[in-house]
Amino acid sequence: MVAGVGGVSAPGRVLIDRRRIAGRVDAMASEIEREYKSCRDAVLFVPVLDGALLFAADLIRRLSLPLQLAGLAASSYPGAATTSTGQVELGLFRVDVQGRRVLLLDDILDTGQTLATVKEALRQRGALEVRSAVLLRKQRETPPVVEADFVGFEVPDCFVIGYGLDHDGRYRELPDVRVLDQDNMI
Ligand code: IMP
Ligand code: MG
């Protein structure tokens, strides 16, 4: 444990610090803007909650595009688990996506089950196009079942927290991405 922000201690070691995150989110915003600048209708940005909250908040403030925002809750990690159950539960989503271009935002791409499930659900509701942007992509032995269209950083196959990512609901507020070691797991 080391001292963190506001006197609260933050576990693990920093993997990607806040300055690198800010620089990469800037660059991703430029890439995304280039991709969508010719779209006449507002792009629907769908952050996968709760993990994508910080990434989405920082990314959309850097964009100069007509856009709308609608979060969708998804979860596959019960409690203190550090591996996905493979079963993704989606929350209520009442937004009409018929004929819309959608950009999903997520904190991390691991097995890909979350993005695959959300993509399929939105396509079934008539979305014209569903693409995705993730801040992190885990370098796994088995590749994810779907790839993301925009990726911030490749990270090793370990459990990370901070900048939206949690362990058992904690540490989302930490400004840097950190690796959570065994000692700090519940
Ligand atoms: P996937 O469905 O296996 O791709 O996992 C994606 C979701 O699992 C993400 O939206 C995260 O919420 C969560 N997740 C995956 N890896 C980590 C991690 O290392 N730390 C925290 N959450 C993770
Ligand atoms: Mg998530």
Side-chain angles (χ1 to χ4, degrees):
M1 290 263 187
V2 292
V5 278
V8 181
S9 54
R13 73 179 165 85
V14 173
L15 183 67
I16 309 169
D17 69 28
R18 61 200 83 176
R19 286 185 48 189
R20 283 183 65 209
I21 295 172
R24 188 67 190 113
V25 174
D26 255 342
M28 290 180 83
S30 305
E31 288 169 38
I32 290 168
E33 222 172 78
R34 270 199 304 278
E35 276 304 300
Y36 289 104
K37 69 170 183 268
S38 58
C39 292
R40 296 217 334 261
D41 301 323
V43 179
L44 182 63
F45 279 60
V46 177
V48 180
L49 304 177
D50 297 306
L53 264 174
L54 278 71
F55 174 46
D58 285 344
L59 182 79
I60 63 168
R61 281 182 289 178
R62 288 164 162 97
L63 290 170
S64 168
L65 275 180
L67 67 86
Q68 289 176 333
L69 186 67
L72 170 59
S75 84
S76 55
Y77 281 37
T82 55
T83 50
S84 169
T85 55
Q87 294 293 311
V88 182
E89 274 180 44
L90 299 186
L92 270 185
F93 190 69
R94 298 191 195 275
V95 180
D96 182 8
V97 295
Q98 187 76 41
R100 303 290 306 269
R101 283 185 201 281
V102 177
L103 183 67
L104 299 175
L105 304 176
D106 208 356
D107 49 3
I108 190 163
L109 174 64
D110 185 8
T111 65
Q113 289 298 341
T114 302
L115 281 189
T117 306
V118 176
K119 274 188 160 186
E120 185 50 31
L122 298 183
R123 283 200 189 109
Q124 276 183 11
R125 292 166 184 218
L128 178 69
E129 175 193 271
V130 187
R131 292 205 268 177
S132 59
V134 295
L135 180 74
L136 310 175
R137 179 183 180 280
K138 257 188 211 183
Q139 290 171 319
R140 307 160 39 83
E141 237 168 71
T142 5
V145 293
V146 284
E147 284 293 351
D149 300 276
F150 305 91
V151 175
F153 300 93
E154 296 281 343
V155 295
D157 190 4
C158 48
F159 197 78
V160 289
I161 53 162
Y163 197 73
L165 293 134
D166 75 306
H167 177 240
D168 201 17
R170 294 187 60 202
Y171 311 126
R172 293 195 198 276
E173 74 282 12
L174 300 176
D176 310 300
V177 171
R178 311 177 77 99
V179 175
L180 192 65
D181 34 39
Q182 287 294 331
D183 302 350
N184 297 114
M185 287 183 187
I186 301 162

